[in-house]
Amino acid sequence: MGSFEMFNGRRSGQGKQVAVLSHGFGTDQTAWTALRPWFEARFDVISFDLAGCGPQGAERYDFERHGALFGYADDLIDLLDECGVSQCTYIGHSMSGMIGALAAIARPDLFERLVLIGASPRYLDDVDYTGGFKPQDLEGLFQSMSANYQAWVAGFAPMVVGVDDSAVIADFSNTLFQMRPDIALNTSRTIFTSDLRGSAAQVAKPVHVIQTAVDVAVPVQVGQWLAKAIDGATLDVIDAAGHLPHMTAADAVIGILEQRLGGAAH
């Protein structure tokens, strides 16, 4: 089985230039439903489900390979090579932001530009760095996930969605429940304990960072740090709350995409 089939790949759209949509933790490629029509009108669109996510996600997950974000970056490179992509506009949400950054460092030929939505190179606070979490916060998170995954999802989903949008909270809860609890726990450990600040500065492609003003998972300071660390990066802060703006504030995200990618789509 090839990577495209293995990761539940989907390809559609009217454009010649390729756009790759890569979702974040706890969602799957259905997270792009609100943005997909905009992309399909302009691009040749590829989406897929990350290892561990979506239907049959457990079959694609390898505890060793996916114990670091580099394993997901390898998956992405394999998928792009298999699809014959020579250059793409890459849109990565949350954990997929840094996955795309790592892939673009390893194989810059595959990427024309990157759009990072709610991305973070490090979630733990550090000296002169606001990540948003302290070690005890993460221990509490992991313990809650281990103790009662269903109860954890019931609290985590509305907190991360960050706005009173019952449809998105239901969608996010459903895709979280699709994840096998041990895989969800291991994935969250992989994400929350990563520190890719050293890699961020190595990205040598145009990068557009999109961030909401209030995000429980990724404080606005992280978006500011990323935009400063990556040479020439732009930062757009949406006057909205929540970690899933592509689902809860799609019009605002599309407005930014029009501005940043409008000239790129043909």
Side-chain angles (χ1 to χ4, degrees), residues 16 32 38 65 70-71 84 87 94 111 130 140 145 192 224:
K16 288 187 174 64
W32 300 110
W38 185 88
R65 179 181 177 96
F70 292 92
Q87 266 206 328
S94 192
F111 297 86
T130 303
M145 290 181 83
F192 284 118
Q224 292 164 343

Side-chain angles (χ1 to χ4, degrees), residues 17-109:
Q17 194 182 343
V18 175
V20 176
L21 309 179
S22 189
H23 67 84
F25 171 71
T27 58
D28 61 18
Q29 62 188 304
T30 60
W32 300 110
T33 300
L35 295 193
R36 196 170 188 114
W38 185 88
F39 279 104
E40 285 180 337
R42 294 159 180 81
F43 292 90
D44 171 8
V45 183
I46 295 173
S47 64
F48 61 98
D49 295 329
L50 293 172
C53 303
Q56 291 88 51
E59 295 168 22
R60 302 184 290 267
Y61 188 82
D62 181 313
F63 277 84
E64 193 171 326
R65 179 181 177 96
H66 300 111
L69 292 178
F70 292 92
Y72 295 93
D74 289 341
D75 291 346
L76 173 62
I77 290 167
D78 290 346
L79 182 90
L80 296 179
D81 280 340
E82 186 187 302
C83 290
V85 174
S86 56
Q87 266 206 328
C88 73
T89 293
Y90 175 88
I91 298 88
H93 170 247
S94 192
M95 68 184 280
S96 276
M98 296 314 295
I99 290 167
L102 292 173
I105 293 164
R107 287 284 304 280
D109 56 299

Side-chain angles (χ1 to χ4, degrees), residues 209-234:
V209 179
I210 301 176
Q211 171 82 41
T212 58
V214 182
D215 181 342
V216 68
V218 182
V220 75
Q221 292 98 317
V222 172
Q224 292 164 343
W225 187 95
L226 261 183
K228 197 172 172 184
I230 300 170
D231 191 38
T234 64

